[in-house]
Amino acid sequence: MKHVFHAAQILGSQRIPSSGAGHAAVNPATGETLEPVFHDATFEEIDRALRLAWSAHLAWKKRPLASRSALLDLVARELESVADDLVERGIAETGLPEARLRNELGRTTAQLRLFARHVEDGRLIESRSVAAAPDRVPTPAPALVLAMRPLGPVAVFGAGNFPLAFSVAGGDTASAFAAGCPVIVKAHPHHPGLSEIAGEAVARAVHESGLPEGVFGLIHGASPNVARDLVQHPLLAAVAFTGSTAAGLAIRDLAERRPTPIPVFAEMGSQNPVFILPARLRARGAETARELAAAITLGVGQFCTRPSLVVVQQGQACDRFVAELIQALDAQGGGVMLNPTCRDRFLAATAALNGAKGVQRLLEPSAEPRTCAVGPALFRSPLEAWASASVRDEEIFGPSSWIVTVEDTEGFLRLAGRLPGQLTAAIHGDEDDLSLMRDLLTLLEEKAGRLVFDGYPTGVEVNEAMMHGGPFPATTDSRFTSVGTLAVRRFLRPVCYQNLPPALRGHAERPNDPVWE
Amino acid sequence: MKHVFHAAQILGSQRIPSSGAGHAAVNPATGETLEPVFHDATFEEIDRALRLAWSAHLAWKKRPLASRSALLDLVARELESVADDLVERGIAETGLPEARLRNELGRTTAQLRLFARHVEDGRLIESRSVAAAPDRVPTPAPALVLAMRPLGPVAVFGAGNFPLAFSVAGGDTASAFAAGCPVIVKAHPHHPGLSEIAGEAVARAVHESGLPEGVFGLIHGASPNVARDLVQHPLLAAVAFTGSTAAGLAIRDLAERRPTPIPVFAEMGSQNPVFILPARLRARGAETARELAAAITLGVGQFCTRPSLVVVQQGQACDRFVAELIQALDAQGGGVMLNPTCRDRFLAATAALNGAKGVQRLLEPSAEPRTCAVGPALFRSPLEAWASASVRDEEIFGPSSWIVTVEDTEGFLRLAGRLPGQLTAAIHGDEDDLSLMRDLLTLLEEKAGRLVFDGYPTGVEVNEAMMHGGPFPATTDSRFTSVGTLAVRRFLRPVCYQNLPPALRGHAERPNDPVWE
């Protein structure tokens, strides 16, 4: 490892060795504590980060769009220059295998460059104008220009499960930069070292870009006080969060209780139901079970899009499907979870589901006492037991799924109608299932941000047609996405300029709009 | 008047004569109570309205975009067919003059037709697709279609001051219909009769369009319980509100406290500061004072964009400007306010401002005891008195303004930096003011949704470049507008369809996207 840790807050060009409480990462594969100790940011450090960010915002917004794409490209290059360090520390802090981390790094840099290209060609920064009509009666019409302007400093709370693509330089940061917003990342306390390596790469990119230093900051914090001080700081303009429901709601509540509330986009996960319709189950039950087992255990079930709920019609085809799924999950096996917190929550949640009335445990998750290795879990119940279970809508983060059996086609619709908001819902059907597919589509598009046909929800493409979001409680606002280029909209607001004098048009280079040139 | 009042809730095709508490409108010009008595909707009636709306939503979303433009056109035509009744009852319930109401009706129908055209040509309903790439390594890429889908039933709380253009069939209803969302209007308790006439016109349009009856409902209510039951109903998907800060925040709080929170776009008004810079004040002080007096008293100051704050540099030019403004306001005179509530609040707010330390009253607002007629008010203070006044950021709804004098150019910037969120801010400057104009633009675009140069903020154009919104507390979300075609975005959410089977593409006619055809 070339990187030498400062274990400090990154506040623009300053590195502040903090006096706050300390925390260290743990290697989930060995249980070993990793050097160094990182410290919670103090209120003064958070205040300093926000003041730098605000001042950077006022300066950056006058710079041309090219400054945003240049920064995004530089961040991608700087990340690549420390790829080996990122992967080495990533393996130690998260237990993710090298191939996955290299792949995720590729996704992260490709994402940054995709946003850069879409900013450059003006697609993301809509603007529109209406010419003056001085002769209109009874009153002349003014000249109007509408431009999408950056909201201001954005706080990013990265995900534990994507330490690169949804973290320091991940999709939230990329979309905030594409919007022209400075970013302050709250490093995930389970991968602070990886966050520092990525954070230093972003800070170098900001420096090379010639943009003000306050365009990026990174603070550490294991205590909720750090999140509180950050979210409630008066100079913060928006929050992007990926993580648990409890943490997401706490952050939303903090933002709503500010004297000046700010938007929070929190992606809080979901069950991602997979509906396997009767004809398809008969025709392809065994193959579907094997594919599903792979989707459930992919990345040790640590994706927000893992299918935690499988809906099938009871009967012989169902029983064969279930037997095949048990066997396939057993064959797939488990793996090392990201950290002790995830492992403990996974074991507690599967234990709670096992205690639910009418729910049968088909696979008991194995666990090792010293490391974070776990095996897959599987449950089964009829629709009624699902409907009345108190733990029904709680996300189980890890390699677990719950097969809910329905008696007839009406049962599929009843379950769909009772679902809370979801990131995704999947429908597997054959020609003979078409009528039911239509009815399910009508219901499920009210419930989910993405509808997957004949496939599995894991694997979130990063492009302009992706929607990674969905109705509450999957996210806090179904009108936005956190993946794909449309994610930029979270951090833009329209501003209308009426009769802007020609002399002021040149005062700042503005988005690619002829009216501004 | 041809219209015969039912004084009933409009729930689809049903007219329910309610048992709830009664309220009647008052003619603000005479003090006379107007027949008939309208009744608060009961919980059962609200529940019925929402069930009809939800069922209409599930059906309407499968219909082609043309069903939306057809409805918008029909609403415009039906409103025109009852123009005389609308105007006659409007005069009686609001005190607004006939010319203003006829003009507002024209704006309302033009607005509906503008949305219809923009829906028709697909501009408002963005969709995008990415083709499958089956040969991509390591994993094939799926086909994705992203479509902007209607959120579901929208509650509209119309404004008292625009009984047509921001009411039953106003901009919120037009944008919800353009998004394909059913609407339930809570009629303004000060113009319930006008609301009924307009509501019946919309209901007829829904019937003629062949859409389900639940696409539109209108309920009455003077009690906060009606708003509570409506906003907290589980089938409601969003709220649009125009009105006071107190009512807007109460509705936002209700929506946030739901088990499933929903978005609220509340437009709550602002001070709309006008900065008149030194060179301009010297060159055009007297003309500017006369124009400003007209803007302050236009519509008896009952526009959310009335300029309630005027910022000028102290000195001789300022004193001449103030003298001219007093004279012009006196000459303009006042008028009849919309209703006794508005009048009482106006008189209380101007009295409170008169009591603020360091604030000088230049014009005392006159009032008649029996009617709602009032005269204009004017105040003056130095920057320091403004900065420390407890009533500083409270909207005064009515013909009143507050001249704040600053000592130097720095004073303009200090005031701008302390402003809360605004719908608009205006800058009047000459060539010699250019440097200050640039600095003010940088600060004010953080504070306001629309920046007006060398003009007055009253007069909100309805087109695709308008932004009628702004940072909190002007609205609850600076990322959306309530006027102009972009207002549709409040009620749309992206849904991504992954590998949609060809057999399902035709199940519903979808937005103008080749992928759906």
Side-chain angles (χ1 to χ4, degrees):
Chain A
M1 164 122 5
K2 279 183 275 175
H3 185 83
V4 180
F5 287 102
H6 296 96
Q9 324 299 342
I10 301 179
L11 307 181
S13 55
Q14 293 178 50
R15 301 294 173 271
I16 310 240
S18 182
S19 54
H23 60 280
V26 169
N27 185 324
T30 64
E32 164 205 11
T33 298
L34 297 164
E35 289 290 329
V37 171
F38 292 82
H39 296 272
D40 286 3
T42 62
F43 175 79
E44 288 68 29
E45 289 157 8
I46 293 169
D47 183 56
R48 170 91 185 134
L50 263 304
R51 285 173 191 276
L52 281 171
W54 183 256
S55 143
H57 166 58
L58 293 185
W60 193 10
K61 69 176 182 170
K62 299 180 191 171
R63 305 283 287 269
L65 279 187
S67 69
R68 304 186 197 172
S69 45
L71 175 62
L72 290 161
D73 283 330
L74 284 166
V75 173
R77 209 183 64 190
E78 286 295 338
L79 287 175
E80 282 164 351
S81 79
V82 291
D84 290 342
D85 281 3
L86 287 169
V87 170
E88 183 185 333
R89 183 73 182 190
I91 294 169
E93 286 187 339
T94 68
L96 294 171
E98 173 167 355
R100 151 69 195 270
L101 284 166
R102 293 216 180 262
N103 187 287
E104 191 182 326
L105 180 58
R107 176 195 175 99
T108 308
T109 53
Q111 181 166 259
L112 288 157
R113 289 179 175 125
L114 177 74
F115 278 99
R117 300 295 79 73
H118 282 236
V119 167
E120 233 163 29
D121 67 16
R123 253 185 288 182
L124 294 185
I125 319 297
E126 314 158 85
S127 56
R128 46 194 83 187
S129 58
V130 171
D135 300 330
R136 189 182 67 172
V137 281
T139 51
L144 299 177
V145 177
L146 186 87
M148 288 291 180
R149 306 289 291 143
L151 271 186
V154 173
V156 171
F157 290 80
N161 59 340
F162 274 94
L164 295 166
F166 283 80
S167 187
V168 176
D172 289 332
T173 298
S175 43
F177 281 170
C181 294
V183 167
I184 295 167
V185 173
K186 214 286 275 163
H188 198 286
H190 284 301
H191 50 76
L194 181 57
S195 296
E196 178 178 313
I197 300 170
E200 291 291 357
V202 181
R204 281 195 303 277
V206 170
H207 181 74
E208 289 160 43
S209 73
L211 289 170
E213 55 172 337
V215 160
F216 179 75
L218 179 128
I219 59 173
H220 293 277
S223 148
N225 294 350
V226 174
R228 183 200 61 203
D229 291 346
L230 178 56
V231 173
Q232 295 203 325
H233 196 285
L235 294 176
L236 192 70
V239 179
F241 168 91
T242 306
S244 71
T245 306
L249 295 183
I251 283 173
R252 180 206 60 177
D253 290 349
L254 283 168
E256 285 176 352
R257 271 187 250 118
R258 291 165 50 107
T260 299
I262 55 174
V264 170
F265 187 84
E267 190 270 85
M268 299 177 288
S270 68
Q271 287 79 36
N272 308 295
V274 176
F275 293 78
I276 306 166
L277 306 194
R280 172 58 60 90
L281 188 71
R282 286 192 299 275
R284 267 195 101 244
E287 294 92 320
T288 306
R290 289 192 292 273
E291 293 162 1
L292 200 50
I296 293 166
T297 56
L298 188 69
V300 202
Q302 299 170 116
F303 293 120
C304 15
T305 52
R306 124 207 43 79
S308 300
L309 193 65
V310 180
V311 192
V312 288
Q313 188 172 350
Q314 65 185 40
Q316 285 183 352
C318 169
D319 295 338
R320 284 195 299 272
F321 166 81
V322 170
E324 188 71 35
L325 184 54
I326 293 173
Q327 205 180 347
L329 282 173
D330 233 5
Q332 290 275 355
V336 175
M337 291 194 75
L338 290 159
N339 54 59
T341 310
C342 285
R343 176 204 53 202
D344 294 347
R345 286 191 187 154
F346 173 69
L347 295 174
T350 48
L353 181 49
N354 188 41
K357 198 178 156 196
V359 176
Q360 183 190 359
R361 187 172 63 193
L362 303 177
L363 265 180
E364 180 178 358
S366 61
E368 287 181 26
R370 206 172 45 85
T371 76
C372 296
V374 301
L378 188 65
F379 300 88
R380 176 183 179 161
S381 83
L383 175 60
E384 294 66 32
W386 174 82
S388 59
S390 65
V391 297
R392 189 183 87 184
D393 298 335
E394 278 169 32
E395 185 187 26
I396 298 184
F397 188 80
S400 176
S401 203
W402 182 353
I403 301 162
V404 178
T405 57
V406 298
E407 289 183 19
D408 47 27
T409 55
E410 191 51 39
F412 287 98
L413 301 173
R414 276 169 55 211
L415 188 144
R418 299 177 85 152
L419 283 172
Q422 302 286 331
L423 294 170
T424 74
I427 303 175
H428 290 223
D430 268 0
E431 250 174 63
D432 288 349
D433 297 312
L434 210 54
S435 160
L436 180 54
M437 286 176 82
R438 284 195 183 110
D439 292 343
L440 272 175
L441 172 57
T442 298
L443 285 179
L444 290 175
E445 66 183 353
E446 300 299 321
K447 303 284 188 168
R450 179 163 56 106
L451 296 183
V452 178
F453 293 87
D454 297 324
Y456 304 90
T458 44
V460 182
E461 297 293 319
V462 182
N463 60 37
E464 60 180 329
M466 177 45 63
M467 166 62 182
H468 187 66
F472 186 90
T475 77
T476 43
D477 195 333
S478 69
R479 296 172 299 175
F480 296 96
T481 175
S482 63
V483 177
T485 55
L486 207 58
V488 173
R489 276 205 192 153
R490 295 176 294 170
F491 309 124
L492 291 170
R493 49 180 277 261
V495 176
C496 177
Y497 302 82
Q498 179 170 327
N499 289 336
L500 187 72
L504 283 181
R505 286 191 193 159
H507 97 288
E509 292 178 74
R510 299 284 184 158
N512 295 344
D513 190 290
V515 187
W516 289 111
E517 304 306 319
Chain B
M1 163 128 358
K2 280 183 275 176
H3 185 83
V4 179
F5 287 102
H6 295 95
Q9 324 299 342
I10 301 178
L11 308 181
S13 55
Q14 292 178 51
R15 301 293 172 271
I16 311 243
S18 183
S19 54
H23 60 278
V26 169
N27 185 324
T30 63
E32 165 206 11
T33 297
L34 296 165
E35 288 289 329
V37 170
F38 293 82
H39 296 271
D40 285 3
T42 63
F43 175 79
E44 289 67 29
E45 289 157 8
I46 293 169
D47 183 56
R48 170 91 184 131
L50 263 304
R51 285 172 190 276
L52 282 171
W54 183 257
S55 143
H57 166 58
L58 293 184
W60 194 9
K61 69 176 183 169
K62 299 181 191 170
R63 306 283 285 270
L65 280 187
S67 69
R68 304 185 197 171
S69 45
L71 175 62
L72 289 161
D73 284 330
L74 284 166
V75 173
R77 209 182 64 192
E78 286 297 339
L79 287 176
E80 282 163 352
S81 78
V82 290
D84 290 342
D85 281 3
L86 287 169
V87 169
E88 182 184 334
R89 183 74 183 189
I91 294 169
E93 286 188 338
T94 67
L96 293 171
E98 174 167 356
R100 150 69 194 269
L101 284 166
R102 293 218 179 262
N103 187 287
E104 190 181 326
L105 181 59
R107 177 194 173 99
T108 308
T109 53
Q111 180 167 261
L112 288 157
R113 289 179 175 125
L114 178 75
F115 278 100
R117 299 296 78 73
H118 282 237
V119 166
E120 232 164 29
D121 68 16
R123 254 184 287 181
L124 294 184
I125 319 298
E126 313 159 85
S127 56
R128 46 192 83 188
S129 58
V130 171
D135 301 329
R136 189 183 66 172
V137 281
T139 51
L144 300 178
V145 177
L146 185 88
M148 288 290 180
R149 307 290 291 144
L151 272 186
V154 172
V156 170
F157 291 79
N161 59 338
F162 274 93
L164 295 165
F166 283 80
S167 188
V168 176
D172 289 332
T173 297
S175 43
F177 282 171
C181 294
V183 167
I184 295 166
V185 172
K186 213 287 273 163
H188 199 287
H190 284 300
H191 49 77
L194 181 58
S195 296
E196 178 177 312
I197 301 170
E200 290 292 356
V202 181
R204 282 196 303 277
V206 170
H207 181 75
E208 289 160 43
S209 73
L211 289 171
E213 54 172 338
V215 160
F216 179 75
L218 179 128
I219 59 172
H220 292 276
S223 149
N225 294 350
V226 174
R228 183 200 61 203
D229 291 346
L230 177 56
V231 173
Q232 295 203 324
H233 196 285
L235 294 176
L236 191 70
V239 179
F241 168 91
T242 307
S244 71
T245 307
L249 295 183
I251 283 172
R252 180 205 61 176
D253 291 348
L254 284 168
E256 285 177 352
R257 269 187 249 117
R258 291 165 50 106
T260 299
I262 54 174
V264 170
F265 187 83
E267 192 270 86
M268 301 177 287
S270 68
Q271 286 79 35
N272 307 296
V274 177
F275 294 77
I276 306 166
L277 306 195
R280 171 58 60 90
L281 188 70
R282 285 191 301 274
R284 268 194 100 245
E287 295 93 320
T288 306
R290 290 193 291 273
E291 292 162 3
L292 200 50
I296 292 166
T297 55
L298 188 71
V300 202
Q302 299 171 118
F303 293 120
C304 18
T305 51
R306 124 206 44 79
S308 300
L309 192 64
V310 181
V311 192
V312 288
Q313 189 173 350
Q314 64 187 37
Q316 285 184 350
C318 168
D319 294 339
R320 284 195 301 270
F321 165 81
V322 171
E324 187 73 35
L325 184 55
I326 293 173
Q327 204 180 348
L329 282 173
D330 233 6
Q332 290 275 355
V336 174
M337 291 195 74
L338 290 159
N339 53 60
T341 309
C342 286
R343 176 204 55 200
D344 294 347
R345 286 191 186 156
F346 172 70
L347 295 174
T350 47
L353 180 51
N354 188 39
K357 198 179 155 197
V359 176
Q360 183 190 0
R361 187 172 64 193
L362 303 177
L363 266 179
E364 181 177 357
S366 61
E368 287 181 26
R370 207 173 44 84
T371 76
C372 296
V374 301
L378 188 64
F379 300 87
R380 175 182 179 164
S381 82
L383 175 60
E384 294 65 33
W386 173 82
S388 59
S390 65
V391 297
R392 188 183 89 185
D393 298 334
E394 277 167 33
E395 186 186 25
I396 298 183
F397 189 80
S400 175
S401 203
W402 181 354
I403 302 162
V404 178
T405 57
V406 299
E407 289 183 17
D408 46 28
T409 55
E410 191 52 38
F412 287 99
L413 301 173
R414 277 167 57 209
L415 189 146
R418 299 177 86 151
L419 283 171
Q422 302 285 332
L423 294 169
T424 73
I427 303 175
H428 290 223
D430 267 0
E431 251 175 62
D432 288 349
D433 297 312
L434 210 54
S435 161
L436 180 55
M437 286 176 83
R438 285 193 184 114
D439 292 343
L440 271 175
L441 171 58
T442 299
L443 285 177
L444 289 174
E445 68 184 352
E446 300 299 321
K447 303 285 187 167
R450 180 164 54 107
L451 297 183
V452 179
F453 293 86
D454 298 323
Y456 303 90
T458 44
V460 182
E461 296 293 318
V462 182
N463 60 38
E464 59 179 330
M466 178 44 65
M467 166 63 182
H468 188 66
F472 186 90
T475 77
T476 44
D477 195 334
S478 69
R479 296 172 300 175
F480 296 96
T481 176
S482 63
V483 176
T485 54
L486 206 58
V488 174
R489 276 204 193 154
R490 294 175 295 169
F491 308 124
L492 292 170
R493 51 180 275 260
V495 176
C496 177
Y497 303 83
Q498 179 169 325
N499 289 336
L500 187 73
L504 284 181
R505 287 193 191 156
H507 97 287
E509 291 179 75
R510 300 285 183 156
N512 295 344
D513 190 291
V515 186
W516 290 110
E517 304 306 320

